[in-house]
Amino acid sequence: LIITLYRITGGKIGGHMNGGDVLLLTTIGRKSGKKHTTPVMYLQDNDDYLISASAAGAPKNPSWYWNAAKGTAPVEIQVGSQTMTVDVTDLQGEERDKSYDKFKQAMASFAGYEEKTTRTIPVLKLTSQA
């Protein structure tokens, strides 16, 4: 329902959650070949978008992460009323750490997610292909 409302209203409904901005991430399942759309919190980083595969501190990465970061099919996002195809960069090392710190500064819950898990929470940079 939230995805439908987001799309119909251009993000006016569903575009903000728990103090953060939300985009719709559409990936193609690596195994199923089916489209999957997931609402994901994001941060603007100049012309790019940062998303975190926090899964609220779960022990495993969310399935959308594998489809976005490791898949071969195009990834699409909708930010507000704008839809675009993006290139995905799985940030590593210091760049990942600095980017995750931005999430923790913007939304306190991200510090808690990091404390709940032993995995390094991935951060993906999404860059418009346009």
Side-chain angles (χ1 to χ4, degrees):
L1 181 60
I2 192 73
I3 294 168
T4 300
L5 290 172
Y6 189 111
R7 286 186 173 145
I8 290 170
T9 66
K12 289 184 175 92
I13 297 175
H16 305 283
M17 191 182 320
N18 300 327
D21 294 324
V22 175
L23 59 75
L24 297 182
L25 177 74
T26 301
T27 59
I28 305 295
R30 293 175 304 135
K31 295 177 184 174
S32 70
K34 295 179 182 177
K35 275 190 174 187
H36 300 278
T37 300
T38 307
V40 180
M41 296 183 89
Y42 76 93
L43 296 176
Q44 188 84 36
D45 185 41
N46 298 314
D47 292 335
D48 300 324
Y49 303 91
L50 298 175
I51 59 175
S52 169
S54 66
K60 294 183 179 180
N61 292 325
S63 58
W64 64 256
Y65 164 76
W66 299 108
N67 293 334
K70 310 299 182 195
T72 57
V75 173
E76 294 179 355
I77 61 171
Q78 181 175 342
V79 181
S81 60
Q82 185 180 11
T83 302
M84 65 193 88
T85 302
V86 295
D87 291 321
V88 178
T89 304
D90 193 353
L91 301 180
Q92 301 295 317
E94 187 176 328
E95 187 177 14
R96 177 260 167 220
D97 295 345
K98 286 181 180 180
S99 295
Y100 195 79
D101 284 344
K102 291 178 184 179
F103 279 95
K104 292 190 291 187
Q105 291 169 4
M107 294 164 272
S109 57
F110 279 83
Y113 301 157
E114 195 172 46
E115 292 171 7
K116 286 174 59 176
T117 188
T118 57
R119 68 186 169 93
T120 300
I121 296 173
V123 177
L124 303 179
K125 179 171 68 172
L126 310 176
T127 304
S128 175
Q129 290 183 355

